């Protein structure tokens, strides 16, 4: 290895985020991240799809954007237009869809299109960490709205909008994950979606709808997307194949009218997102998506049941949670004595990784003793063993065990 004596630091640009930590591999019991179930990656189907699409159209890879322009591989956009109409009630065409490198790329493009330092965004109080990090990085004031068992509370939203107006602040958008929210896994009912649209319209605020878990409701049914319910526009919608197929494929999408699309395209300077994934997904999904997703949901639901069983066995009544309506996460409340930022450190030393609540919330007091557990990528055995190990750390460091007095 070359030992560098060059001083890079004096040349770094201003305002860089803190350096990333080096990746040291996954721990034994990893309940973090938005990973999927390795057993449910539709491997044979993806192998067959890769072979058939490459044999038929592989030479198109010689052309940027596989000769389908900057919005991405057309057959995948056509598939999405059909799927979004059938599942989410969204009426759009391939021209309204931009394929991105994961929906995180979509978040970046939408943020870059609308936000500037000092702007205000409204979100669910407990919220996707990467979205919060993005807002912090740009210098956005984030206003968190409390959730209940049905997602964002509309009285909270109405009060926040009124309060901001009184202070002369015009928020840019309401960033919401209405269908299987991250981390609470709540599903916002249609009446609240209507009310959100009414309030957003009355205050001239855009709604930024992140629907990346929407395929994973246990019932297989979901309310119409907010994008679909709006009769006046004013909604931008993002989705992903990460949660329904596999996150390492890096394919997400943004649905937006041309007025917004044309601005995002001007900002998307990567000469197109990876086309091979888009081609394979189109080939696979056109024939198999409708069969694959119920199978995935079934497997995830079984893992959630195992997690709940393990929590009851090792924590008794010391844990509180609402049973998710779908998805890959359980949002758990431990007794107030537990600071989950500290628990995170000591559990990690025992080979158990959790997501501490404070990283997933704008309300640090409310989330202090909460944590998020991803149950998708761990096996049933790992769930039992990992939760037993976590319970042991809680007992040792915080005196919290299933036998302790409430
Ligand atoms: C709410 C939400 N939005 C967006 C993403 C980004 O997903 P991807 O970039 O893999 O599509 C995630 C990933 O966990 C998420 O939870």
């Amino acid at each position: 290895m070359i030992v560098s004596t060059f001083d890079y630091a004096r040349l770094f640009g201003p305002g860089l985020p803190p350096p990333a930590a080096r990746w040291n591999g996954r721990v034994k019991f990893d309940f973090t991240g938005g990973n999927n179930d390795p057993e449910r990656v539709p491997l044979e189907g993806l192998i067959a799809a890769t072979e058939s699409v490459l044999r038929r159209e592989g030479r198109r890879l010689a052309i940027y954007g596989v000769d389908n322009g900057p919005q991405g591989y057309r057959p995948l956009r056509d598939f999405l237009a059909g799927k979004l109409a059938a599942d989410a009630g969204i009426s759009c065409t391939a021209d309204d869809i931009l394929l991105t490198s994961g929906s995180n790329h979509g978040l970046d493009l939408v943020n870059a299109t609308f936000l500037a330092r000092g702007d205000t965004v409204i979100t669910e109080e407990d919220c996707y960490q990467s979205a919060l990090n993005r807002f912090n990085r740009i210098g956005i004031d984030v206003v968190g709205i409390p959730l209940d068992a049905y997602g964002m509370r509309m009285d909270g939203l109405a009060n926040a909008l009124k309060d901001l107006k009184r202070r002369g602040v015009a928020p840019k958008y309401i960033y919401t994950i209405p269908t299987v929210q991250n981390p609470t896994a709540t599903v916002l009912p249609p009446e609240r979606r209507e009310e959100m649209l009414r309030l957003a319209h009355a205050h001239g605020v855009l709604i930024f709808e992140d629907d990346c878990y929407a395929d994973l409701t246990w019932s297989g049914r979901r309310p119409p997307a907010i994008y679909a319910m709006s009769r006046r526009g004013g909604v931008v919608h993002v989705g992903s194949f990460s949660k329904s197929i596999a996150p390492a494929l890096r394919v997400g999408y943004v649905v937006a009218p041309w007025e917004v699309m044309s601005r995002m395209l001007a900002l998307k300077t990567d000469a197109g997102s990876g086309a091979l994934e888009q081609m394979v997904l189109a080939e696979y999904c056109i024939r198999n998506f409708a069969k694959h997703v119920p199978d995935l949901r079934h497997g995830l639901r079984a893992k959630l049941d195992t997690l709940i069983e393990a929590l009851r066995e090792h924590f008794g009544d010391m844990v509180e949670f609402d049973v998710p309506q779908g998805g890959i996460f359980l949002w758990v409340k431990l007794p107030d004595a537990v600071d989950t930022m500290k628990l995170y450190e000591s559990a990690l030393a025992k080979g158990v990784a959790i997501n501490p609540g404070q990283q997933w919330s704008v309300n640090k007091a409310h989330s202090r003793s909460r944590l998020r557990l991803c149950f998708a990528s761990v096996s049933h055995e790992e769930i039992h063993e990992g939760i037993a190990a976590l319970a042991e750390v809680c007992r040792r460091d915080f005196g919290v065990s299933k036998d302790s007095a409430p």
Side-chain angles (χ1 to χ4, degrees):
M1 196 176 81
I2 296 169
V3 180
S4 169
T5 53
F6 190 83
D7 181 9
Y8 297 97
R10 83 194 151 82
L11 298 175
F12 286 151
L16 279 186
R22 233 183 242 285
W23 191 68
N24 289 319
R26 296 181 73 206
V27 300
K28 190 165 181 209
F29 305 112
D30 189 353
F31 294 97
T32 65
N35 296 309
N36 218 318
D37 183 346
E39 298 302 320
R40 306 269 163 179
V41 174
L43 215 48
E44 293 308 320
L46 291 176
I47 292 169
T50 308
E51 162 127 31
S52 78
V53 76
L54 280 182
R55 288 207 182 284
R56 198 181 62 241
E57 295 181 44
R59 294 195 188 284
R60 286 173 157 227
L61 288 166
I63 312 294
Y64 280 104
V66 276
D67 217 4
N68 282 183
Q71 286 174 241
Y73 185 57
R74 176 98 198 186
L76 187 58
R77 289 187 283 133
D78 284 334
F79 165 77
L80 277 170
K83 169 186 157 16
L84 288 167
D87 299 347
I90 291 178
S91 162
C92 70
T93 71
D95 293 334
D96 305 311
I97 299 173
L98 170 63
L99 299 177
T100 54
S101 306
S103 56
N104 266 320
H105 187 200
L107 298 194
D108 285 335
L109 288 171
V110 176
N111 287 344
T113 302
F114 290 101
L115 298 183
R117 184 165 293 277
D119 278 345
T120 297
V121 164
I122 297 174
T123 68
E124 283 106 9
E125 180 173 88
D126 304 319
C127 180
Y128 176 39
Q129 181 196 28
S130 274
L132 294 179
N133 289 348
R134 281 173 161 77
F135 295 141
N136 286 338
R137 171 95 205 280
I138 312 169
I140 301 301
D141 288 329
V142 179
V143 177
I145 309 296
L147 300 108
D148 61 19
Y150 301 96
M152 189 190 285
R153 287 180 48 169
M154 288 304 114
D155 55 347
L157 178 61
N159 289 338
L161 284 165
K162 211 171 357 160
D163 182 53
L164 288 169
K165 187 172 179 192
R166 189 179 48 75
R167 292 193 282 125
V169 176
K172 275 288 172 68
Y173 41 71
I174 302 166
Y175 168 74
T176 180
I177 312 164
T179 318
V180 191
Q181 204 259 353
N182 181 359
T184 62
T186 48
V187 177
L188 198 73
E191 313 76 60
R192 288 200 191 181
R193 292 173 191 237
E194 282 293 359
E195 181 61 3
M196 187 187 287
L197 276 165
R198 192 188 66 73
L199 287 167
H201 180 68
H203 289 264
V205 181
L206 182 75
I207 296 176
F208 181 10
E209 175 177 45
D210 183 343
D211 232 12
C212 79
Y213 297 95
D215 292 315
L216 299 184
T217 57
W218 305 140
S219 66
R221 288 185 304 278
R222 48 146 313 157
I226 299 174
Y227 188 100
M229 293 171 77
S230 174
R231 286 169 291 278
R232 310 169 192 256
V235 186
V236 173
H237 179 98
V238 300
S240 178
F241 287 93
S242 290
K243 313 304 169 182
S244 51
I245 306 284
L249 288 180
R250 309 310 302 134
V251 182
Y253 52 91
V254 184
V255 187
W258 181 246
E259 206 180 341
V260 176
M261 179 68 73
S262 56
R263 295 305 182 121
M264 288 191 301
L265 285 174
L267 286 166
K268 191 172 183 294
T269 52
D270 61 354
S273 300
L276 182 56
E277 285 104 316
Q278 297 174 16
M279 294 167 84
V280 171
L281 277 174
E283 193 77 2
Y284 174 80
C285 289
I286 288 165
R287 281 170 205 83
N288 302 299
F289 192 85
K291 280 204 304 288
H292 163 71
V293 171
D295 181 51
L296 172 64
R297 281 198 293 258
H298 183 74
L300 292 174
R301 175 74 231 219
K303 285 194 173 179
L304 171 65
D305 290 343
T306 300
L307 177 59
I308 291 176
E309 194 184 292
L311 285 168
R312 287 291 167 235
E313 183 184 339
H314 297 288
F315 284 89
D317 294 336
M318 290 293 114
V319 283
E320 294 165 37
F321 50 80
D322 288 329
V323 177
Q325 300 196 38
I328 56 177
F329 304 121
L330 188 67
W331 182 235
V332 176
K333 166 81 175 72
L334 287 171
D336 291 343
V338 183
D339 175 346
T340 53
M341 291 298 281
K342 292 191 180 137
L343 176 63
Y344 164 76
E345 297 291 346
S346 37
L348 202 56
K350 291 283 172 194
V352 185
I354 57 159
N355 286 127
Q358 290 196 344
Q359 294 179 350
W360 300 81
S361 186
V362 291
N363 183 337
K364 302 301 174 205
H366 157 87
S367 56
R368 186 179 170 278
S369 50
R370 288 182 155 80
L371 69 153
R372 193 192 73 163
L373 296 171
C374 173
F375 50 83
S377 59
V378 270
S379 68
H380 289 270
E381 295 71 39
E382 286 166 346
I383 293 174
H384 274 295
E385 285 179 48
I387 295 302
L390 185 68
E392 180 49 32
V393 175
C394 274
R395 192 195 54 73
R396 189 195 65 197
D397 289 8
F398 300 97
V400 165
S401 76
K402 71 172 177 179
D403 305 317
S404 47

